Amino acid sequence: DIQMTQSPPSLSASVGDRVIIACRASENIASYLNWYQQRPGQAPKLLVFGASSLQSGVPSRFSGGGSGTEFTLTISSLQPEDFATYYCQQTYRTRRTFGQGTRVQI
Amino acid sequence: EVQLVESGGGLVQPGRSLRLSCAASGFTFDDFAMHWVRQAPGKGLEWVSSISWNSGLVEYADSVKGRFTISRDNAKNSVSLQMNSLKPEDTALYYCARADSGFYQYFDYWGQGTRVTVSS
């Protein structure tokens, strides 16, 4: 299976900060990388698919980048509702795998 | 409106079985692959199993292979997960998710989950 490794596991930030979360795949996954946001007590929500395409309705302060094995999710100006846990996921292989998550806290 | 509603969770003893169901509505069910994803208490997301639109391709995580069986009934717009030989480490919130039918097959809709607790 493809292993997905996120860094950092958690971070502390303030409203208005620029936040970058990294995700590394154990093999080349081209652009088959998606990002999800999960708020406490809620189901995950798709933010970015295909490494850099923003899902409809997701604020433009979110952006994704990278290809191959190295990817990033950037939040350009952190808002109160962005404090959550973020997961990357590969859909290159049929056995889908997620990163371990990055918790963004105040 | 797309809706996925899971059911069937509960408290079960180790070694016993449980069957989860996910009722889908608001879209053409047999156009989409479906997945189960679980989340142990305080932990991250773990992909569990998937089934293609016509049940022709099923996949399982190593942690459940040989114990869990995924199936779907396109006439009833539902997907199920039969879980046998349950272990305490199967304790989790189980989500049903729809995979987009396009190039990247991301999970665009999720249910709210059904909780499974394996304990004596």
Side-chain angles (χ1 to χ4, degrees):
Chain A
D1 290 352
I2 298 176
Q3 306 303 314
M4 307 300 295
T5 304
Q6 288 182 233
S7 59
S10 66
L11 63 90
S12 296
S14 300
V15 172
D17 284 354
R18 177 183 170 94
V19 167
I20 299 175
I21 298 169
C23 177
R24 173 177 291 176
S26 60
E27 65 180 79
N28 188 335
I29 60 170
S31 296
Y32 288 80
L33 190 284
N34 312 306
W35 289 98
Y36 300 86
Q37 175 194 65
Q38 187 180 34
R39 296 186 177 117
Q42 295 186 16
K45 171 189 170 184
L46 176 70
L47 296 177
V48 171
F49 64 91
S52 60
S53 296
L54 206 62
Q55 172 70 341
S56 175
V58 173
S60 59
R61 62 181 180 273
F62 290 93
S63 63
S67 66
T69 61
E70 302 285 343
F71 302 88
T72 57
L73 175 70
T74 300
I75 309 172
S76 60
S77 178
L78 203 62
Q79 297 302 299
E81 60 269 30
D82 300 337
F83 291 96
T85 301
Y86 295 84
Y87 295 92
C88 62
Q89 176 209 33
Q90 65 80 21
T91 48
Y92 184 76
R93 299 283 183 203
T94 54
R95 285 151 61 105
R96 316 305 198 197
T97 44
F98 291 91
Q100 81 277 20
T102 294
R103 184 180 177 192
V104 176
Q105 50 194 342
I106 300 173
Chain B
E1 179 195 5
V2 172
Q3 284 199 320
L4 299 171
V5 180
E6 302 93 338
S7 61
L11 173 64
V12 62
Q13 293 179 327
R16 303 299 290 267
S17 299
L18 207 58
R19 185 177 183 87
L20 306 184
S21 295
C22 171
S25 61
F27 64 100
T28 304
F29 183 69
D30 53 14
D31 279 350
F32 295 87
M34 299 296 294
H35 294 252
W36 286 96
V37 176
R38 69 184 181 184
Q39 187 167 36
K43 302 297 184 182
L45 302 174
E46 179 189 14
W47 174 82
V48 173
S49 182
S50 66
I51 187 166
S52 62
W53 67 275
N54 63 353
S55 305
L57 178 64
V58 297
E59 296 275 12
Y60 301 95
D62 284 343
S63 58
V64 307
K65 201 168 189 177
R67 300 187 299 122
F68 289 12
T69 303
I70 192 171
S71 61
R72 66 188 293 159
D73 185 337
N74 287 345
K76 295 183 177 179
N77 290 354
S78 69
V79 58
S80 297
L81 187 68
Q82 177 67 41
M83 305 187 295
N84 298 331
S85 304
L86 282 162
K87 305 175 181 180
E89 51 264 41
D90 295 319
T91 294
L93 185 63
Y94 284 73
Y95 293 104
C96 165
R98 186 185 88 166
D100 180 78
S101 56
F103 201 60
Y104 294 108
Q105 300 185 17
Y106 44 84
F107 296 178
D108 56 356
Y109 288 93
W110 299 65
Q112 287 303 304
T114 186
R115 192 165 299 278
V116 173
T117 303
V118 183
S119 174
S120 54

